[in-house]
Amino acid sequence: MNSVLDSAVLFQIGPVGITQAIVTTWAIMAILVIGAYALTRRLDLRPTRRQAALELIVATLDTQIVETTGAAAAPYRGFIGTLFVFILAANWSSLVPGVEPPTAQLETDAGLAALVFVSVIWFGIRAGGFRGWLKSFAAPNPVMIPLNILQSLTRVFSMFVRLFGNVMSGVFVIGIVVSLAGLLVPIPLMALDLLTGLVQAYIFAVLAMVFISSTVEDGARPLCDPDIAPSPTKKDS
Amino acid sequence: MTLDWWGLSLQAVNVLILVWLLGRVFWRPVADAISRRQEAAVAMLDEGKALQAKVDVQLAEIDETRRGIASEREAILAEAMATADAVAKATLRDAQTRADTLIGAARTAIDRDKHDARKENAAKVAELSVEIAARLLGRFSSSVIQAAFLEQLVEAIANLSPSDRAALTASETVIEIVTASEPEDVEMAGIEKAVKNALGGTPGIRFVTDPDMIAGLELRQAHFVLRNSWRADLETIRKEVANVD
């Protein structure tokens, strides 16, 4: 018996089974890329309302990144912003009748979590070098190395499970209510699902940013930094 | 529930591609637009600051020029005041000189008028004195006075040069013996005799009366007068008094 969590394969490309989630992802990608291209074709020094709205989005994202990490926003803007926009679009795609959001499938959320895992390593190495990235596991002191390694895996796993659980549960609840109470009753739940999708996208992006910045900062900071672990004597004084 | 690793990888690649695509067509263009506007704003601000600095420099130059104009104005005013002061002093000096000249001229005129007045007064006083003396002396017209005048006349004739006496006696013109009052015949004869003796000849004699003489005897000819009377004396005194400054 197949699990309800499994996605039906629409067609096969070599060894890869193309599910509806993948197709929806491609559709979202196409819409986002074409829409972004259409919106950013005529950017001018004197902004129109459309351009002002786009700049407001980018400026808000930059502000969030700066407030979260304290670092410059430019290196992380593309990755964090795309994560947020894609997850939001994927979550809200459930509003389209007959479309199941890609984030309600394990593979999509696991893929996103894997990207965050890799990006933490990538940004860590790029900021402090390979030694700096390794050193980030010894923060605040080398005793924490096993725990930090375990944490780097579990926190990504928790991200993917959190996103998957929230979106999938929403889809399930709405599906159950639709099957029981007809057409109009699920609408408040769908509205709630919109809010849940927005919050989950925001949480996923912010957590990714926090993990990346934590690794970057730990790699750049010397071991046993007194600012990280102040001695009780110093604290008491 | 199973995890499709191919699907996971494909979704990861899909998102990675989306990150790359959106980075090219959305994040970077919009961020570049913001940067361009910020750079333009900074450039405009810099330009504004440069313009402000330029304006400040020009304002400073204008202030300097104004201060120069003000100092020049003060210098011109000071020079004008000095010139006006000098002109005023020169005018005052000139006026003082003119006033002094006028005062001097006035004083000279006053002195001259005073002198003339004094002379005029002296002349009037002398005339009055002569008139008073003439009236007073008129009371003493007696034979004794007449004899004294005859004696003085004879003495005066004697004091004449012989040539003058000879000219008087040789002249065909009658010699007039002028008296203040008409003498009696005896007195006339005595006077004629004494005069002819003094002249040393026998000229023609005629007696003429002139009351203005007050008292005295005078000889008169066409070109000769020998004064010997109180009137002549008083006239001489009056002229002397009048000529005294």
Side-chain angles (χ1 to χ4, degrees):
Chain A
M1 177 183 171
N2 288 334
S3 170
V4 293
L5 299 177
D6 288 340
S7 182
V9 176
L10 297 178
F11 58 91
Q12 198 83 22
I13 299 177
V16 184
I18 304 302
T19 60
Q20 186 195 354
I22 293 174
V23 174
T24 306
T25 299
W26 286 345
I28 290 170
M29 287 172 61
I31 291 169
L32 288 178
V33 171
I34 293 170
Y37 177 75
L39 289 172
T40 59
R41 264 193 315 171
R42 293 181 188 137
L43 297 180
D44 195 10
L45 213 55
R46 293 176 180 274
T48 59
R49 287 185 178 183
R50 170 177 56 95
Q51 182 178 342
L54 297 177
E55 291 181 3
L56 179 63
I57 292 170
V58 174
T60 306
L61 176 65
D62 286 356
T63 305
Q64 286 292 322
I65 293 172
V66 171
E67 286 180 354
T68 306
T69 66
Y76 313 109
R77 183 190 301 126
F79 181 69
I80 302 296
T82 305
L83 272 185
F84 175 76
V85 171
F86 173 72
I87 295 171
L88 183 66
N91 291 344
W92 285 3
S93 65
S94 63
L95 295 177
V96 180
V99 174
E100 187 179 339
T103 43
Q105 294 299 317
L106 274 175
E107 288 79 9
T108 306
D109 297 333
L112 290 170
L115 277 181
V116 171
F117 181 79
V118 173
S119 69
V120 168
I121 299 170
W122 164 256
F123 284 114
I125 293 174
R126 202 173 74 161
F130 187 71
R131 288 171 62 87
W133 172 66
L134 287 179
K135 201 169 64 181
S136 68
F137 288 100
N141 53 58
V143 177
M144 300 295 289
I145 289 175
L147 286 175
N148 282 335
I149 293 173
L150 187 63
Q151 179 209 22
S152 67
L153 296 171
T154 56
R155 68 186 181 187
V156 174
F157 185 76
S158 72
M159 284 175 70
F160 126 68
V161 170
R162 180 188 302 110
L163 179 62
F164 171 70
N166 277 283
V167 180
M168 182 270 293
S169 63
V171 172
F172 265 78
V173 168
I174 291 172
I176 292 168
V177 171
V178 167
S179 64
L180 294 176
L183 187 62
L184 298 177
V185 177
I187 288 177
L189 293 173
M190 293 172 74
L192 182 64
D193 204 32
L194 285 178
L195 181 62
T196 305
L198 174 65
V199 171
Q200 289 306 314
Y202 178 76
I203 288 173
F204 197 95
V206 168
L207 284 177
M209 191 65 246
V210 168
F211 297 158
I212 291 169
S213 65
S214 172
T215 304
V216 169
E217 288 176 5
D218 290 342
R221 186 178 294 131
L223 288 176
C224 300
D225 191 340
D227 288 341
I228 299 299
S231 65
T233 309
K234 190 174 181 181
K235 207 172 208 176
D236 294 340
S237 64
Chain B
M1 185 177 74
T2 56
L3 188 64
D4 180 11
W5 291 99
W6 282 109
L8 186 152
S9 303
L10 187 59
Q11 286 294 67
V13 170
N14 283 337
V15 175
L16 209 55
I17 291 170
L18 183 63
V19 168
W20 182 74
L21 286 173
L22 282 186
R24 287 186 64 85
V25 300
F26 184 74
W27 302 113
R28 197 178 303 162
V30 178
D32 288 346
I34 293 172
S35 298
R36 278 198 303 275
R37 183 173 308 104
Q38 286 175 342
E39 288 170 0
V42 170
M44 287 176 68
L45 283 173
D46 290 342
E47 189 180 353
K49 284 180 182 175
L51 199 61
Q52 180 71 40
K54 194 175 176 183
V55 169
D56 288 343
V57 170
Q58 288 179 348
L59 275 176
E61 289 177 356
I62 288 170
D63 286 342
E64 187 68 26
T65 307
R66 278 183 180 172
R67 277 196 292 275
I69 289 171
S71 61
E72 188 179 356
R73 172 177 166 274
E74 288 176 1
I76 290 171
L77 279 176
E79 187 180 351
M81 286 180 71
T83 306
D85 194 28
V87 169
K89 283 181 180 175
T91 305
L92 193 62
R93 210 164 36 242
D94 190 31
Q96 186 70 40
T97 306
R98 288 183 183 180
D100 290 344
T101 305
L102 287 174
I103 288 170
R107 281 177 180 167
T108 305
I110 288 169
D111 290 344
R112 190 171 59 247
D113 290 346
K114 280 168 71 179
H115 182 259
D116 292 346
R118 192 164 59 241
K119 281 182 75 175
E120 190 177 353
N121 288 335
K124 286 182 179 177
V125 167
E127 285 179 3
L128 187 59
S129 301
V130 168
E131 188 65 29
I132 291 169
R135 288 192 181 184
L136 289 174
L137 291 174
R139 294 183 181 180
F140 299 105
S141 179
S142 63
S143 56
V144 177
I145 294 170
Q146 194 70 15
F149 275 109
L150 179 60
E151 187 176 345
Q152 287 178 359
L153 180 65
V154 170
E155 188 178 346
I157 292 170
N159 289 335
L160 291 174
S161 63
S163 59
D164 289 339
R165 286 197 300 270
L168 282 173
T169 54
S171 174
E172 293 178 356
T173 309
V174 176
I175 296 172
E176 290 180 347
I177 297 174
V178 184
T179 61
S181 59
E182 189 174 353
E184 293 181 2
D185 293 338
V186 177
E187 289 176 344
M188 278 187 196
I191 292 168
E192 186 176 351
K193 183 182 177 183
V195 169
K196 284 182 177 177
N197 286 338
L199 289 172
T202 56
I205 299 292
R206 187 177 60 188
F207 281 89
V208 177
T209 302
D210 184 4
D212 289 339
M213 289 173 55
I214 304 170
L217 286 171
E218 289 184 354
L219 289 184
R220 294 180 187 174
Q221 210 176 21
H223 304 291
F224 180 78
V225 175
L226 182 58
R227 297 191 182 280
N228 179 33
S229 65
W230 277 349
R231 171 62 63 189
D233 293 341
L234 289 174
E235 194 65 29
T236 304
I237 291 169
R238 189 188 63 77
K239 285 182 179 176
E240 289 177 355
V241 170
N243 289 331
V244 173
D245 289 333

